[in-house]
Structures are given as structure tokens and as C-alpha cells.
Amino acid sequence: MSKFVYDFAEGNRDMKDLLGGKGANLAEMTNLGLPVPGGFTITTEACQRYLAEGHHADGLAAEIDAHLAALETTMGRTLGDPADPLLVSVRSGAKFSMPGMMETVLNVGLNDESVDGLSRQAGGNDRFAWDSYRRLIQMFGKTVCDVPGEEFEEALHSAKVGKGVKDDVQLDADDLRALVTAYKKVFAKHTGHDFPQDPREQLDLAIEAVFRSWNADRAVLYRRQERIPADLGTAVNVVAMVFGNLGPDSGTGVAFTRDPSTGETGVYGDYLQNAQGEDVVAGIRNTLALADLEKIDKKSYDELLGIMSTLEAHYHDLCDIEFTIERGKLWMLQTRVGKRTAAAAFTIAAQLIDEGMIDLDEALTRVSGAQLAQLMFPRFDLAGDPVSLTRGVGASPGAAYGEVVFSAADAVAAAAEGRQVILVRRETNPDDLSGMIAAQGILTSRGGKTSHAAVVARGMGKTCVCGADAIEIGRDQFSVGGQVVHEGDVISIDGTTGRVYLGEVPVRPSEVVQYFEGDLDPALANEPLVAAVHLLMTHADGAAALKVRTNADTGPDAARARRFGAQGIGLCRTEHMFLGDRRELVERLILARTEAERNDALGALQPLQRADFLDIFREMNGLPVTVRLIDPPLHEFLPSLEDLAVQVAVAKARGEQSERDERMLAAVRRMHESNPMLGLRGVRLGLVIPGLFAMQVRAIAEAAVALAAEGGRPRPEIMVPLVGAVQELETVRAEAEKIIAEVVGDSGVKVLIGTMIEVPRAALTAGQIAEAAEFFSFGTNDLTQMAWGFSRDDVEGAFFWRYLELGIFGISPFESIDRDGVGRLVRIATAEGRKARPGLKLGVCGEHGGDPESVHFFHEVGLDYVSCSPFRVPIARLEAGRAAISSAGSDHR
Ligand code: ADP
Ligand code: MG
Ligand code: MG
């Protein structure tokens, strides 16, 4: 039979799954011998069973009885005993702390009789007893029975007004007794029954309410946004009450064991005398700085500081703490490893290394690529104290400002005039796509991180704040907290913090990016954050098994990525080299009627391509550069069918026929495809259009030879896209090898030939394909599209939000690799490819190469490198190091 209840002395900090974070850490503190009030934890499993079965699991009630009886024995008091009552708090506590769930009910066990017993315990302190009772009715009413909290607030307010006082503490015992009567009325009015007098019934109802709160709307929403599994359930902690509201020698407070923003040691926290529970955070009265406690109660203060250093030495990290002092006796009520900003995560880790508290490996586990990414986005400079309008969910990072527009059409029109706009919508749908592209950023009043707006914005790398539900959107204005913002007014949105400001907030470049760029303002060089990033990046690079390359198509991009630490190019796309003023040559190539015309066009393109490659090879001197032969369908280089058809028709009507346009139109018609992504592209082009791949191969080989002649060390790798069968690759290879041999001669240049694995058939026949490939590069964008049968441009906007809502996937498979499906294809191809050709080089060049989760997957699979956009190179480097350390750790376990 399962055990559903654990005494604090039975648990420990590693039992978060079962006891929740709060319960596990209360147990840990108990076992460290710290002063924690007695209590027990009801497990998450009991919650799961309750939610599944609609009632308590068999045996739970008996276990609660037994643990309560034990607690009563230790405390020498009985729950709710009229003469000398034991009171308890009932506190929720899931594995991950989660807003939206029921919080806490204090003072359970008080009723019309035991309130007098409590007064006697406190030496005849009636005021304290009745204050505790009114708090119970208020918290119980609100959290257990859904009584609107404002009604209690109003009753309290009128009690104060009636007496002509400002503060709760100025109400005396009689006032509070009257307030209890008023509260009971409010309670009965909303619930249809009286406030329960039976202490055990109070306890049971509170426990069930905590269980049920796991499925409260706000909790469900939060879990979805943070990708917390829905089936974990919450634990319930039942804790003997200690009282901070017994007079000036009592109080309650919160503290951090060190500065939560820099990690520097010191005393940080707030204290409130003569107060209970949440008064500190609720901001009811002005709190004191924790340091002031030294003057009020030196003994408790010293003990608290001692406990803080014990906790730090034990957790090896910044902890946050809740404590209460009851008549000069200190009690610990909560601790956990403290939450922190991205910048603080780095500086604290570095600080802890400095103090010898943790080593570099451990420090790497304390930071993440997602945090580094946050630090690399430009941020708002808030020095000017901009007007904060509201806060939503930071759904796609960045800092953007612009004029407010309310429709996609307005966004497009404004962008065409060169104006920057923020598109403000209740929520977005596929019709808004053009507006989203045109806008600097998107702000919505509904939906969270998985809404249409969020998914599409992240896909486009556009700043987005979602679910700012305080804003009321009208036709040409929105209002928030009494402030009206009209169309055309400027607002600023922060996609990391979710904050929305009025006006244009200046944007500050990231000092971390400046550091990576190598052009750091000398004044910042000693900045703790920069020093911490440098320290941890260096360690990550040393630890990593995966190399990190970049996707870059130009010399300047290559140079930038190299500064960001790229160890080569994993994907150099050649199609961009066919744009701009070279489009004309491409058109000539496509329209060529004879071999001579075609060769003429290719001959003109060849030296241009050679110059492109030489540029890139120079920037990446000594490092591998994978050049992908031309991949997209050629009609992408031609005008659109619609435009051209109109143009030709108009010309015809005017009698101004152009032979070239008509030939072009015929070509565009001929080349039109209903599924271009699955049509004539990739290796298929190379096999169909004579001389096209040959021209590119020659340009690559010649550029490499030219660099070698300059004394450089080129390492070109030619990559053939969209291969599905080894025969395709063999055909291309045979021709390429001839050209390479001819160009390279005895220059010593070596050119590798490999292929992308992006068609499922290629993954499934990787053993055969490896016979003709010196390397594989997984094109996980196409592989995802083809494995799922998704066309990315269509599906992300059309229905991904619904798939996320239904939990068909937890995150878009384009954002993070689908381990089970697409990942399986990668595993198969890796195993079979290496079996056929030991030493086969394996990498990834889809966008997943820069996604932290996916990097861990590629490390596990044992690839040689990932390749990602220059900006994500540092993130991938950090995660490659973290992946190596966490897998090394698991070997030892
Ligand atoms: P949260 O998770 O919102 O912090 P807690 O369960 O920690 O909720 O409780 C809210 C407040 O009540 C905290 O300030 C906590 O210290 C206080 N509290 C909880 N249990 C007790 C208790 N047994 N005695 C005194 N104060 C308590
Ligand atoms: Mg707490
Ligand atoms: Mg592709």
C-alpha cells in the first residue's frame, strides 16, 4: 500500500516529486536541526488519486489521523481544543511553485470556543486571539469556499473607518470580535451555510481545497505556459502554527541569503513586527529592512544569520527564506533555492565559484542557454522611468517600440511608409500574418505562450507580449488602468519581461553581445556579468563534445559568427548569391533555349560565385565550411505568375508586346508547381539542369585553391541537398570528383562531398547513402516538415495553437526537435551511417541547432557538431558544454 503522509522528519530535499518543493525543503530543514514547527506533508500522489477518483484514496484519512495525533502529542495540544488549542496552517506546495493554486490557510482549528483558549494561551491576549480568528474566516472563506475576498476587505475597511483609525493594529479585541461577526455573515451569505466550527472538518475541507486548486483555471494556464506536466499534482503541508502577531516582540519576515541580483553576500530581506503570514508581502504596513531586526531582537537576528549560512553551506546556492519570531523565538517556515533573473544566475554562479562554494561544472548547471539568450537581446533602458502601462506574458523576446495600430492592414500600410508600428490585437489569427510581418512587435490582450500570436512571433523572431488582459481594446484606441492609448501613439513592449510602456523607451544594446563581438566598452570589461559569462563560456567550450558551427552565407556573417565562437560553417546557402543584380543572369539561365545560351549564363555566374566563396573561406580560414549546392525551386527567382500575367496582358492591350516578357511568362507557367517544397528542387535541379552544379563545384574548388595560394588553409565541404536515394548522390559525386581533381591538381586542397539528410527516405537508407557521402548534415527543418507532413509556413499560423492546446505536442516541433519521431530518424541515420562508414562526420544545420533542448538531444545521439545562426552560436556553445557535463554526471551515478 502507498504511503500518503510523511512527517517532516521522514522527508528530504530530493523528494520534491512526492512532497512538493515546500514540503521537501521543510523536511530538509527539520533534519538539519533547524527550528521548524512540527508538521507533515500529504503527498502529490494522494492529490493525483483524489483528482482521478473524486474522493480520498483508501487509507489517506487514517494516515492523516495518525500523523495529526503524533503532532498533537509532540505539541502537547489537541487540534481546536477549547481550553488549549493546537492550530495548524494548511499550505499547498507543488514540485514547481505555481501561481493560481490555493495558497495557504492559517489558524485552522479556531472556532467560537477555542478562540478563548487561544487567548488564555497568550496570557489573556484577547486581541491576538480574535485577530487570528478573523484571519482564519477570511482566508478559509476566500481560498476554500471562493467567497469574494473584497467583501472581507470591505468589512475590515468599514471597521477601521467606523473607529477612525488607519491600521489593523489599531483595532482592539472588541472591534475584532465584531469583525468576526461581520465576516461570518459574509461567509454565510456566499456559501449558504455557517462557518464550520468543527476543527477537523476545517482541516479536511482545506486539504481538499488544496487538491482541487491544482486544476484551477489560472494554474492550468500557468502550467501550459511553462510547460509543466498537468499530472504532477500538489502536495499539502500541515504545519503547527507559530505566531508573529503576539505583540512587538513577535513578527514575520522574508530574507535572501545573499543579494538576489548580484550574488554578493550581505543581509537582504524585510521584517514586520507584530504581524502574521503574508502581511509582509501584502504590503499592508511598511516593512523594516531585515538589518533593523538586529536592534529589535539581537538574539533572533544572530540566530537567523547563522541559519542562513548553514542553508547556504548546505544548498551551495542562494536561498530564500520565510521566518516568524514568536515572542523572541525564531521559527523557520520555508526555504528554497531562490529564483533569480538571467543576469543574476550568471553572476551568482561566478560569485559562488569565487567563494569556493561550488566548482565550475556545478556552476554550468546553474545557468542555461535560455538565460544567455535573454541577456543577448537588446533591452530597454529604464533610467528615464517610463510610464508602465501593464504587464502581459513575455512570449517572444526583444525590445520593440512603434506607433499603435489595430489591424494588419494598417500595419502593412504604415510599414510601407517606413513607420514603425506595434500591432495591438485581442488575439491574432492567420489573417493577421501580413501585419505581424510588417510590425516591429505584437501585443495581444488574450492568450499565453502557446497562442497563435506567440507561436508565430517566435517563428519569425519578432518581439511579442501576449495576454495583457488588463487592456481593453476598442476600434481605434485601447485603455488600461484609466489611461487611453490612441492609434498612432507610441508604445514600447518588452518580449522578455512582458512589460508594456507608454512612449518610446530607449533601447540599450546588450553588453553580453558586445562582449562576444569583441568591441566591449572598456568601462564594462570588469562588469561582473561579463566576467561571469566569460568564465562560464570558457568552461563550457572546454567541456563540450559537440562542436558548434554557424549558418552563414556571406563573409561578414561568417566573420561575426567566428567572433561569437563558431568553429566553422555548417550551412552556407548559395541561393542568396543568386539575388540582387545577379537575378538577370539567373533569368538568362532559366530562359536559355540552347546549350550555348545556358553555358553563357553559367559562365557569367561562375566567377561571381568563386568570389563569394573565397570571401567566406578567408573569414573561416582553417575551419570547415559546408557549402550547400543550390536548393530552392528556380521559379523562386522569377517574377510571380500573377504579376507577370497581368503585366503581359496590359502590354498586349497597349500593343507593346515584349518578347522577353512573354517567354518569361511561358517559363513561369511551365515551372509552376502546386507543391513547390516537394517539387523540382535540391539535387533534382542538379540532375535536370546540365552544368548548374558543375558551375558551383568548380567555383568552390577554385576559391579553395585561391585561398591555399594565398597561404590560407581552406577546408571546403560540398553538401548536396534533398537527397533521398544513394543513386542521386552518386551521380552528382561522379561529376563533382572529376571537376575537383582537375581544379585542385597538386595544390594540396581537399574537398569533402556529403549530403543533407532531410528527406525521411534518406534517413531510412542512410547505410547506403553513407557509401557515397563523407558527411551527413541533418536538415531538421525539412526533416520535420516531411516527417510530419507539415508545410511550416501554412501550419504554424493555421492550427499549431490548437495542437498545443490539445497537448498533441508540448512545443512546436520546429522550435524544439521532436525526439520521438524526427529524432528517431536522426538516430537511425546516425547508427546506420556510421556502421557503413566509420568516421562519417555528422552534424545538424536546421534551426534546432540553436535550441537548448535539441542541443542536448544531439549530444546524446553523438553527433559531431550543430550549426545555427550566428546569434545563437553562444547559446549552443553553452548548452553543448552543459550537455557534456550532465551526461558525464549521469555516468557516475
Ligand atoms: P506561499 O507559498 O504563498 O508563500 P505559504 O504556505 O508559504 O504560502 O504561507 C503563506 C504565509 O504564511 C507565509 O508568510 C508563511 O510564512 C506563513 N505561514 C505558513 N504556515 C505558517 C505557520 N504554521 N505558522 C506561522 N506562519 C505560517
Ligand atoms: Mg511561502
Ligand atoms: Mg532543406
Side-chain angles (χ1 to χ4, degrees):
M1 203 184 82
S2 294
K3 176 173 163 68
F4 291 120
V5 184
Y6 287 73
D7 196 86
F8 287 164
E10 296 176 293
N12 65 58
R13 68 164 152 175
D14 297 325
M15 294 170 72
K16 287 202 179 74
D17 284 333
L18 198 59
L19 303 180
K22 199 178 284 171
N25 287 321
L26 280 167
E28 189 77 11
M29 285 200 292
T30 301
N31 291 320
L32 279 173
L34 303 183
V36 178
F40 53 85
T41 304
I42 303 169
T43 63
T44 53
E45 229 173 273
C47 173
Q48 293 159 17
R49 293 275 296 269
Y50 175 86
L51 293 175
E53 294 158 22
H55 56 83
H56 282 330
D58 286 348
L60 175 58
E63 273 191 71
I64 295 176
D65 285 342
H67 284 267
L68 182 60
L71 181 62
E72 289 173 336
T73 310
T74 331
M75 303 301 292
R77 288 181 176 142
T78 309
L79 183 71
D81 177 1
D84 185 16
L86 169 68
L87 305 185
V88 296
S89 62
V90 177
R91 316 167 68 184
S92 62
K95 177 174 182 185
F96 307 101
S97 79
M98 239 170 56
M101 270 172 35
M102 194 201 91
E103 286 131 28
T104 295
V105 186
L106 302 178
N107 307 331
V108 168
L110 276 179
N111 57 25
D112 295 350
E113 292 174 14
S114 61
V115 66
D116 293 326
L118 181 66
S119 168
R120 273 193 297 281
Q121 268 175 29
N125 191 340
D126 268 357
R127 186 197 178 278
F128 153 73
W130 286 93
D131 185 46
S132 302
Y133 193 18
R134 71 95 188 162
R135 286 171 191 262
L136 168 64
I137 302 173
Q138 187 167 355
M139 281 186 264
F140 191 94
K142 220 173 93 180
T143 56
V144 180
C145 301
D146 293 324
V147 179
E150 311 86 71
E151 302 224 7
F152 293 118
E153 299 296 343
E154 274 160 30
L156 177 61
H157 184 70
S158 29
K160 287 193 278 193
V161 172
K163 178 141 188 173
V165 300
K166 260 185 61 212
D167 257 346
D168 301 10
V169 280
Q170 293 167 289
L171 297 176
D172 64 23
D174 288 335
D175 302 326
L176 292 164
R177 195 177 277 123
L179 189 58
V180 164
T181 310
Y183 273 11
K184 282 184 183 164
K185 282 205 190 104
V186 170
F187 186 95
K189 183 178 105 196
H190 280 279
T191 60
H193 57 83
D194 288 337
F195 177 75
Q197 291 290 312
D198 176 358
R200 187 53 205 266
E201 187 188 344
Q202 292 173 1
L203 178 62
D204 288 336
L205 288 172
I207 291 170
E208 282 187 52
V210 175
F211 283 168
R212 282 197 307 270
S213 72
W214 175 257
N215 283 332
D217 289 347
R218 235 157 56 96
V220 171
L221 192 71
Y222 181 80
R223 282 201 292 273
R224 214 176 271 153
Q225 277 172 14
E226 300 301 315
R227 305 193 185 108
I228 296 173
D231 55 1
L232 298 178
T234 177
V236 185
N237 302 288
V238 177
V239 190
M241 281 303 299
V242 293
F243 298 101
N245 52 341
L246 274 171
D249 59 350
S250 305
T252 182
V254 296
F256 295 98
T257 56
R258 55 179 65 225
D259 184 335
S261 55
T262 64
E264 273 159 49
T265 45
V267 180
Y268 297 88
D270 300 293
Y271 183 68
L272 194 58
Q273 273 174 285
N274 197 12
Q276 191 174 46
E278 251 141 7
D279 293 358
V280 182
V281 255
I284 292 176
R285 280 179 274 145
N286 285 339
T287 56
L288 302 174
L290 183 60
D292 294 335
L293 178 61
E294 186 171 16
K295 282 168 259 158
I296 300 168
D297 181 349
K298 173 109 173 67
K299 186 181 127 284
S300 298
Y301 179 78
D302 289 343
E303 186 182 358
L304 183 64
L305 261 47
I307 288 174
M308 289 205 237
S309 59
T310 305
L311 286 174
E312 280 233 336
H314 189 68
Y315 285 89
H316 298 293
D317 206 347
L318 162 88
C319 297
D320 67 31
I321 285 172
E322 293 177 5
F323 66 93
T324 279
I325 296 174
E326 178 179 310
R327 293 207 164 130
K329 162 93 183 102
L330 174 68
W331 293 98
M332 300 302 296
L333 292 172
Q334 185 174 329
T335 192
R336 65 183 166 198
V337 166
K339 292 222 161 107
R340 61 204 69 185
T341 62
F346 279 86
T347 48
I348 292 175
Q351 177 79 26
L352 293 174
I353 295 173
D354 269 359
E355 292 172 26
M357 187 104 74
I358 58 176
D359 64 13
L360 276 158
D361 278 4
E362 177 62 28
L364 260 197
T365 68
R366 305 276 179 95
V367 296
S368 70
Q371 287 168 332
L372 183 62
Q374 273 188 30
L375 297 175
M376 290 178 66
F377 282 99
R379 271 172 301 160
F380 286 129
D381 183 348
L382 301 178
D385 237 341
V387 179
S388 167
L389 288 175
T390 186
R391 180 174 193 175
V393 178
S396 178
Y401 58 83
E403 296 171 28
V404 168
V405 294
F406 293 96
S407 74
D410 288 345
V412 172
E417 291 169 18
R419 280 152 50 214
Q420 297 203 9
V421 296
I422 302 288
L423 177 62
V424 181
R425 306 281 292 156
R426 227 161 263 133
E427 50 205 341
T428 60
N429 63 50
D431 293 337
D432 294 316
L433 213 57
S434 57
M436 296 173 78
I437 294 168
Q440 300 298 307
I442 300 132
L443 168 64
T444 70
S445 61
R446 287 202 207 130
K449 278 191 183 156
T450 58
S451 63
H452 177 269
V455 174
V456 174
R458 280 200 299 277
M460 304 193 291
K462 191 139 295 194
T463 303
C464 176
V465 172
C466 283
D469 50 16
I471 68 176
E472 276 300 328
I473 301 179
R475 269 177 61 85
D476 53 4
Q477 62 176 56
F478 73 80
S479 62
V480 55
Q483 180 111 28
V484 177
V485 177
H486 297 276
E487 188 175 314
D489 291 352
V490 173
I491 61 169
S492 301
I493 62 172
D494 185 328
T496 306
T497 62
R499 296 223 177 258
V500 181
Y501 302 96
L502 188 62
E504 177 185 326
V505 181
V507 174
R508 193 160 48 115
S510 147
E511 60 263 47
V512 171
V513 169
Q514 286 175 277
Y515 153 72
F516 286 125
E517 288 277 15
D519 60 359
L520 186 67
D521 179 343
L524 290 177
N526 285 326
E527 234 239 295
L529 174 60
V530 171
V533 168
H534 175 75
L535 180 72
L536 292 173
M537 291 303 295
T538 310
H539 188 62
D541 288 343
L546 276 177
K547 287 198 162 39
V548 177
R549 297 196 198 175
T550 191
N551 302 347
D553 313 337
T554 64
D557 267 4
R560 179 168 207 227
R562 197 161 186 175
R563 291 195 297 277
F564 277 25
Q567 292 160 292
I569 291 181
L571 175 62
C572 169
R573 299 179 179 87
T574 51
E575 47 269 24
H576 297 161
M577 303 168 184
F578 284 44
L579 297 176
D581 46 8
R582 302 181 189 173
R583 210 182 257 274
E584 199 257 329
L585 291 176
V586 180
E587 287 176 8
R588 266 169 57 196
L589 171 69
I590 297 171
L591 298 182
R593 276 169 301 196
T594 63
E595 202 179 320
E597 275 178 20
R598 188 171 52 237
N599 286 341
D600 193 43
L602 286 170
L605 278 167
Q606 207 256 348
L608 300 173
Q609 285 260 276
R610 182 178 46 214
D612 295 330
F613 296 136
L614 182 54
D615 245 12
I616 293 169
F617 292 162
R618 268 201 201 110
E619 294 296 351
M620 280 288 158
N621 187 21
L623 295 174
V625 175
T626 306
V627 180
R628 180 174 73 183
L629 301 181
I630 188 153
D631 180 47
L634 289 185
H635 48 76
E636 279 193 8
F637 298 98
L638 301 182
S640 89
L641 181 57
E642 290 85 357
D643 292 354
L644 201 59
V646 171
Q647 195 181 319
V648 167
V650 169
K652 214 174 218 164
R654 289 195 186 135
E656 302 165 355
Q657 264 129 303
S658 139
E659 195 235 351
R660 186 183 159 279
D661 284 356
E662 280 174 27
R663 255 176 72 200
M664 177 80 81
L665 179 60
V668 171
R669 284 229 166 88
R670 189 173 66 240
M671 293 169 71
H672 181 76
E673 293 173 317
S674 38
N675 284 308
M677 295 312 288
L678 303 177
L680 179 57
R681 53 176 285 228
V683 66
R684 303 158 196 175
L685 281 174
L687 298 180
V688 167
I689 301 183
L692 180 58
F693 275 11
M695 178 275 286
Q696 291 197 298
V697 169
R698 188 174 294 276
I700 293 166
E702 285 180 3
V705 170
L707 179 60
E710 290 172 12
R713 212 164 76 76
R715 293 173 60 191
E717 304 179 340
I718 293 176
M719 177 156 79
V720 184
L722 220 73
V723 164
V726 67
Q727 294 83 352
E728 291 170 314
L729 187 60
E730 280 167 351
T731 310
V732 173
R733 187 180 187 94
E735 186 187 18
E737 275 177 341
K738 253 190 246 144
I739 297 168
I740 292 167
E742 190 187 306
V743 175
V744 162
D746 54 7
S747 65
V749 168
K750 201 169 155 7
V751 184
L752 301 186
I753 299 176
T755 181
M756 291 190 76
I757 303 287
E758 55 184 337
V759 175
R761 190 179 190 283
L764 297 172
T765 59
Q768 297 166 16
I769 292 178
E771 303 283 350
E774 283 151 297
F775 65 89
F776 285 172
S777 176
F778 293 97
T780 53
N781 296 349
D782 264 316
L783 197 57
T784 300
Q785 298 204 87
M786 297 201 211
W788 281 89
F790 284 159
S791 129
R792 179 170 188 176
D793 293 341
D794 298 321
V795 295
E796 275 190 337
F799 61 80
F800 263 29
W801 60 272
R802 181 67 179 143
Y803 270 42
L804 289 158
E805 195 175 86
L806 290 170
I808 293 172
F809 31 68
I811 180 169
S812 158
F814 292 109
E815 277 182 56
S816 199
I817 189 110
D818 152 36
R819 286 179 172 242
D820 298 342
V822 178
R824 175 124 198 272
L825 289 169
V826 173
R827 283 187 193 277
I828 291 171
T830 298
E832 298 192 357
R834 283 221 171 109
K835 196 161 135 214
R837 183 192 285 260
L840 177 73
K841 232 204 292 190
L842 294 164
V844 164
C845 63
E847 271 160 61
H848 297 103
D851 166 64
E853 285 281 321
S854 310
V855 170
H856 284 251
F857 175 76
F858 299 133
H859 171 87
E860 273 168 42
V861 173
L863 303 192
D864 297 298
Y865 69 89
V866 295
S867 186
C868 55
S869 65
F871 194 73
R872 297 201 72 87
V873 165
I875 298 161
R877 281 166 55 202
L878 185 70
E879 289 296 345
R882 279 165 45 78
I885 275 165
S886 64
S887 60
S890 60
D891 284 350
H892 296 154
R893 237 170 264 146

